[in-house]
Structures are given as C-alpha cells and as structure tokens.
Amino acid sequence: MSRLMSSLVSSNKRTADVIVLGAGGHTSVLVDMLRQQDQTITGLVSADLALEDNELRSVLEDLPQYFSDDDVLAFPADSVCLVNGIGAIPKRLTRIKLFNNFKAQGYRFASVISQQAIISPFASLGEGVQVMPGAIIQAGAIIGDNCIINTGAIVEHDSVIDAHSHIAPRATLCGQVHVGQGAFIGANAVVIQNINIGREAVIAAGARVHKHVQAGETVI
C-alpha cells in the first residue's frame, strides 16, 4: 500500500474522472471535498435518486444521476475510478459489498483525502481510503482498503487499521493499536496504546478502551 497511488484524489494529485456511489450525507461530504480539489465527477449512482420524495442535497444537485449499480458497467473499468459514498453505519455491509463487487469486476476505487488532513509521508494508505478534514495519521500507521478516517480522528504512530473499518469523528487511537477488519470506533472514543480491537467490533461513542476487545464485541 502507498499513500501516493494512481487512484488517489488529494490536494496534490488529481485522478481520472470519478463516479460516486451513493447520494446521502457521507456522499455529500466526499463530493464537497472533490469539488474543492477541482475533480471531475461523472455522476452519482443510487437507487434513492429515483424516489419521488428524495430531496437531493445542494452540493449534489447539478451532477448527472444514475439509478442502478448496473449503470456503472456502461463505463469501462479503465476509464473511471469509483468513490464509495456509502457511510459505514448503518449500511456497513452495503459499503463492503459494493467495494468487493466492483473490485471483482476490475474497477478501481479512488482514495479521497481532504486538503485539511495531516498524513505522515511514512504512513501507508490502501485503496479507496477516505480521510476527512482535520484527521491526523502519524508515521508508521497502516490504513487498509475502504476505510474511513473521519473528521478530526487521530491515528497515532504504528497503528494498523484493517480493511473496511471506520474511525468516527474525533476518535483517538494511541500508538500501536490494531483495529480488525470491519470494526467501528465511535466518535470521541479513545483506545489506549497497544490495544487490539477484534474484527467487526463496535466501540461506542465516547468509550475509553483500556483492554483488548474480542471480535464482534460491543464496548459501551
């Protein structure tokens, strides 16, 4: 994994045209970030766009709309990058399924990195990672594919976050924390150094974690 990869959208590297999957709140934040970076957005894809009572957020209003994931297949896989706009909670499984399904068909996912994030050049980011404004990722950290490092979250040195995990706003992972695949660390939670969080575990907002957490466990 590398921070500067061909499918990265950031303040210093523009990627191919992108298609954004989703049309909700998480999508709106990503599209706002992409617009600030003058990134061309080919369209939004969401079944919700076809609903009569759907109220499109203003940041999304002027973008081309597609109503089925199958519409993506009209674009050759080597001509676009995808952005996963599905939030991790409560649609975590949908987010993972979309990523895996399109990867299996040869599509690439762009990583979206805020210009206001701070990322060490000695950190490593996987494919499709999203890093929101104010987030900090320190040296030696490894972030797996399809992860969200949300607004103001802190990932300290040598921490490892496995694929499909979500570190919510202002959560803090102290040094050498290991977060298993598909885990969720809630807003303002703090995980002290050298702690292991099992795959698909859920750490509630504001929790203080001082001991290892088993796979699938919920900590309140």
Side-chain angles (χ1 to χ4, degrees):
M1 291 183 292
S2 171
R3 179 169 176 252
L4 294 179
M5 54 193 299
S6 61
S7 59
L8 176 66
V9 180
S10 72
S11 60
N12 60 3
K13 191 167 185 178
R14 188 177 177 279
T15 191
D17 293 353
V18 300
I19 295 174
V20 183
L21 308 178
H26 188 63
T27 295
S28 68
V29 175
L30 293 170
V31 168
D32 189 26
M33 291 163 57
L34 292 169
R35 287 180 180 276
Q36 291 178 42
Q37 297 168 17
D38 297 322
Q39 176 65 45
T40 300
I41 301 173
T42 301
L44 303 174
V45 180
S46 174
D48 292 344
L49 293 169
L51 300 176
E52 291 184 4
D53 60 350
N54 181 63
E55 294 186 11
L56 199 63
R57 290 168 169 82
S58 59
V59 71
L60 308 177
E61 284 181 346
D62 61 347
L63 297 175
Q65 299 177 17
Y66 302 93
F67 305 134
S68 169
D69 294 341
D70 290 339
D71 292 329
V72 176
L73 304 181
F75 297 88
D78 60 358
S79 70
V80 295
C81 285
L82 306 182
V83 169
N84 197 341
I86 305 301
I89 298 291
K91 297 184 177 181
R92 179 181 64 83
L93 295 180
T94 300
R95 179 180 173 85
I96 295 172
K97 181 180 178 181
L98 280 175
F99 183 88
N100 289 336
N101 284 352
F102 281 113
K103 282 294 295 176
Q105 296 179 79
Y107 287 87
R108 299 169 298 151
F109 279 81
S111 293
V112 183
I113 313 298
S114 171
Q115 295 168 323
Q116 287 77 48
I118 299 173
I119 303 176
S120 168
F122 300 100
S124 179
L125 274 61
E127 182 174 352
V129 169
Q130 297 163 359
V131 185
M132 303 307 189
I136 300 173
I137 301 176
Q138 299 283 28
I142 300 174
I143 314 298
D145 294 346
N146 198 38
C147 284
I148 301 170
I149 310 300
N150 222 317
T151 307
I154 299 174
V155 180
E156 275 296 344
H157 65 88
D158 303 306
S159 291
V160 177
I161 303 175
D162 290 344
H164 312 301
S165 295
H166 182 178
I167 312 302
R170 298 195 179 281
T172 299
L173 306 182
C174 299
Q176 295 178 285
V177 169
H178 182 201
V179 177
Q181 180 173 309
F184 176 79
I185 312 296
N188 285 304
V190 176
V191 182
I192 69 166
Q193 63 272 16
N194 300 311
I195 292 295
N196 293 326
I197 305 295
R199 62 182 294 147
E200 299 181 0
V202 174
I203 309 301
R208 300 294 184 263
V209 181
H210 302 272
K211 61 181 181 179
H212 301 315
V213 177
Q214 299 300 311
E217 184 179 352
T218 296
V219 176
I220 299 176

